[in-house]
Structures are given as structure tokens and as C-alpha cells.
Amino acid sequence: MRALRYVMAVLGVFAATAAASAQQVPRIAYINSDKIISESKQAQAAQQAFETEVARYRTEVNQLGEALQRMITEYDAQKSTMTPTARTQKENDIRLRQTEYETRLRELENQATQRRAALVEPVMEQINQVIDAIRREGNYALILDASSTAIIAADPALDLTEEVLRRLSANGDGNDADAS
């Protein structure tokens, strides 16, 4: 009888341990960040604002490039009638204009990169807040990104992409991530 109680107590401990262990299994899910970014209204608005600003940069670069090209074309048409001194001066002017063009092009590329970061950062922060809220609410230990090449196969039931998009859409400013 005493042995039976001991066996029952040991089985009870094992059962409790097994139940506790079952509750300790980490929950894992995934999202598709490419889909979230392409379908998020906030990301689309940021991309549209960026494209508008880049159009201004392109216009300036095109104008500078056209002016440089006109200068070269004029030089090519006139160089046979120019004195060696005038030809040297015009070639120096063209090199200077080329350097100015390349410098301005780099400046505009840097401005575009900085502007993209400034527009995208708040959107990414909103998306990350929503994902983190879902992670906390669902007690997920890990949420992976299916857009990376690290996930080879996954159960579609673990995909939280639509939930992230739904929450972003429901609250355009991303504050629903703070609701948890």
C-alpha cells in the first residue's frame, strides 16, 4: 500500500512536471515583411512622399546633365575653329562643370538616402510596435520573417502577416500596438 502511494506520488509529480513542461513550449510564428511593407497604407504613403521628392532631385540632375551635354556639344562643334588657348579654357570649363555635376549628383543621392530613412523609420517603428504587441498578446517566444531566406517551409496557420496588416489598417497611426 505504501509502495502504491509512493508510485502515485511519483506519477503525480511526473504529470505535474509534464504539464508544466507542455506549457513551457515556446510559441513561434512568422510574418512576411515584404508583404506588410508593400500593402501597408503607411508604407505606401511614405513611398509616395519619397517618390515625389526624388522626382525633384531627378529634375535637377537632368537639368545639370543637359547643361553639361550642351556645353560639350557646343565645344565639339566649335573646337576646330578655336585657338589652342580658347580650346584649353573650354576643356577646363567642361571638366569643372563635370566635377560640379558629379558632386551635386552625390549630394542629391545622399539627401535621397537620408530622406528615405526619415520617411521609412516611423513606418517601420509602427510595424515593429504592432508585431511586438501581437507577440506579447499571443505569448510568442519568437516571430520570424518569411521574407528572409531562413524559413524554408512553415505552417500557414503560424503566419501573422494578415493580423499585422489588419492592425495597421485599423489604426493608421500605429497606436493600436500600445493597446496591450
Side-chain angles (χ1 to χ4, degrees):
M1 186 74 125
R2 195 171 174 164
L4 184 57
R5 282 188 190 176
Y6 178 74
V7 169
M8 293 299 279
V10 169
L11 286 176
V13 168
F14 282 138
T17 303
S21 293
Q23 293 173 359
Q24 297 293 336
V25 173
R27 292 188 68 195
I28 298 174
Y30 67 93
I31 53 105
N32 182 331
S33 63
D34 288 345
K35 182 176 181 179
I36 291 169
I37 291 169
S38 70
E39 294 183 17
S40 163
K41 290 176 186 162
Q42 297 89 338
Q44 290 172 355
Q47 182 64 29
Q48 182 62 39
F50 176 73
E51 289 298 326
T52 300
E53 292 183 30
V54 166
R56 287 194 310 250
Y57 297 155
R58 284 187 192 121
T59 300
E60 182 179 344
V61 167
N62 288 340
Q63 289 172 347
L64 292 172
E66 289 169 3
L68 177 61
Q69 189 56 50
R70 276 191 307 274
M71 192 177 207
I72 292 169
T73 302
E74 288 171 7
Y75 169 74
D76 286 342
Q78 298 171 356
K79 73 178 173 182
S80 62
T81 61
M82 298 173 99
T83 66
T85 304
R87 197 174 320 139
T88 301
Q89 179 61 43
K90 192 68 167 175
E91 289 169 356
N92 288 339
D93 290 346
I94 289 171
R95 276 193 287 278
L96 178 63
R97 180 70 61 95
Q98 177 73 32
T99 301
E100 290 171 351
Y101 172 79
E102 291 170 358
T103 299
R104 185 62 182 149
L105 182 61
R106 280 191 300 277
E107 288 171 355
L108 291 173
E109 287 173 351
N110 287 336
Q111 285 177 2
T113 300
Q114 291 171 356
R115 188 62 183 139
R116 176 176 284 245
L119 289 168
V120 168
E121 187 176 323
V123 173
M124 294 309 297
E125 188 174 311
Q126 290 174 356
I127 292 170
N128 287 332
Q129 287 174 353
V130 168
I131 292 169
D132 195 51
I134 292 170
R135 182 197 56 77
R136 286 190 315 268
E137 292 165 12
N139 291 322
Y140 291 100
L142 185 64
I143 297 178
L144 303 170
D145 184 359
S147 296
S148 71
T149 57
I151 297 176
I152 296 172
D155 182 350
L158 301 174
D159 188 355
L160 301 175
T161 303
E162 293 302 322
E163 176 63 11
V164 172
L165 287 169
R166 185 190 65 73
R167 289 188 187 199
L168 286 169
S169 179
N171 191 348
D173 62 5
N175 288 336
D176 59 329
D178 299 327
S180 59

